[in-house]
Amino acid sequence: MTQQRYRDLADWPLTVTALIFLAAYAWQVIGRFEGSAALPLEAVMWATWGIFAVDYLANLWLADNRASWFVRNLHELVIVVLPFFRPLRLLRLVTLLSVLHRTLGDTLRGRVVTYVAGSAAMLVFVGALAVLDVEQSSPEAKIITFGDALWWAMTTITTVGYGDMYPVTPIGRMVAAALMMSGIAVLGVVTASIASWLVQRVEDTAEAVSEAEEPVRAEVAELTAEIASLRREIAALQQQRTL
C-alpha cells in the first residue's frame, strides 16, 4: 500500500465523512441544541474528527519520507489537533474544506467554473454556520438566525459589506476576515478564468483566420512570381529591340 494508493481509496470515504460532519454541525448550530440534546450530534462530530485524525496518521505512516512529509504538512497536524479543544472546534470546518478540496480538486481540474462556483457556495454555507455558532449566544449579536448568517456571508464573500449585519465577537471577526480573504481569492480565480478564456478565444480566432488566409497568401505569392517573370521577359525583349 503506497500513500498515493491510500489517498485514491480514501478520498471519497473521507468526503462522505466530511459531509456527515457538516450535516451534524449544521443541525446543531441551526437547531441550537444544548446539553443532553446535543450529545448525539457531538458524538457524530467527534467520530468524524477521529476519522480525520486516523487519515492524518495513515498518510504519515505511508509517506516515503516521514520526516519530510511531517514538516511539509504541519498545517494538517494543526487542523487535526487544535479542534480537540472546545473553543477551537470551528477549525474542524477547515478540515472539511481541506478534504473536499483534496477530493474535488483533481476531479474538476478541467472545469474551473464549476469548481469555483461549488467552492464559493461551500464557503458561504460554512462561513454562515461558523459565524452563527459563535454569534448567536452573544447578548449584543447582530446575527441571530441562519438567514441573517447566510445574508452576511454572501455580502462578505463578495466584498460588498452593507454593514447592516456584522460579527461582534472576536472569533466571529476572525471568521469574517477569513471569509473576506476567501472571497477575494474566489473572485481572483473567476477573473483569471475569464481572462484566460478570452485570450484562448482570441488565439483560436487568430489561428483560424491565419489558416483561412493561407490559400490567398499562396495565390498572391504565385501571382507575384508570375508578374516578376513577365517583367523580366519584357525587359529582355526591350533589350533585344534596342540591339
Side-chain angles (χ1 to χ4, degrees), residues 140-222:
E140 300 177 357
K142 307 292 183 182
I143 303 171
I144 55 177
T145 67
F146 185 61
D148 292 341
L150 272 180
W151 171 251
W152 169 84
M154 286 187 287
T155 58
T156 301
I157 197 172
T158 55
T159 67
V160 174
Y162 285 111
D164 54 343
M165 297 176 188
Y166 53 88
V168 297
T169 62
I171 298 180
R173 289 172 179 172
M174 290 174 61
V175 172
L179 195 58
M180 284 185 280
M181 290 186 288
S182 300
I184 293 171
V186 168
L187 291 175
V189 171
V190 171
T191 303
S193 301
I194 294 174
S196 176
W197 177 77
L198 289 174
V199 170
Q200 185 63 46
R201 288 298 300 269
V202 170
E203 291 179 352
D204 292 344
T205 302
E207 185 177 349
V209 170
S210 178
E211 291 177 356
E213 291 178 349
E214 188 61 33
V216 177
R217 291 197 186 97
E219 187 173 350
V220 170
E222 291 178 3

Side-chain angles (χ1 to χ4, degrees), residues 18 49 52 79-80 83 90-100:
W49 175 83
F52 295 142
I79 290 172
V80 170
L90 292 177
L91 288 178
R92 290 184 224 171
L93 293 173
V94 180
T95 306
L96 164 72
L97 295 175
S98 177
V99 170
L100 292 178

Side-chain angles (χ1 to χ4, degrees), residues 6-81:
Y6 165 77
R7 290 171 72 92
D8 292 341
L9 292 173
D11 276 349
W12 282 109
L14 283 174
T15 301
V16 174
T17 302
L19 293 175
I20 291 173
F21 165 78
L22 181 60
Y25 182 73
W27 195 358
Q28 184 186 40
V29 172
I30 297 174
R32 301 190 181 186
F33 291 100
E34 297 290 343
S36 59
L39 290 178
L41 298 175
E42 285 285 349
V44 171
M45 287 189 286
W46 279 112
T48 55
W49 175 83
I51 293 173
F52 295 142
V54 170
D55 174 66
Y56 173 82
L57 294 175
N59 275 287
L60 178 61
W61 178 261
L62 294 173
D64 294 331
N65 188 331
R66 292 173 188 165
S68 176
W69 189 90
F70 176 80
V71 172
R72 286 186 291 104
N73 293 274
L74 284 175
H75 63 285
E76 293 195 16
L77 176 62
V78 172
I79 290 172
V80 170
V81 172

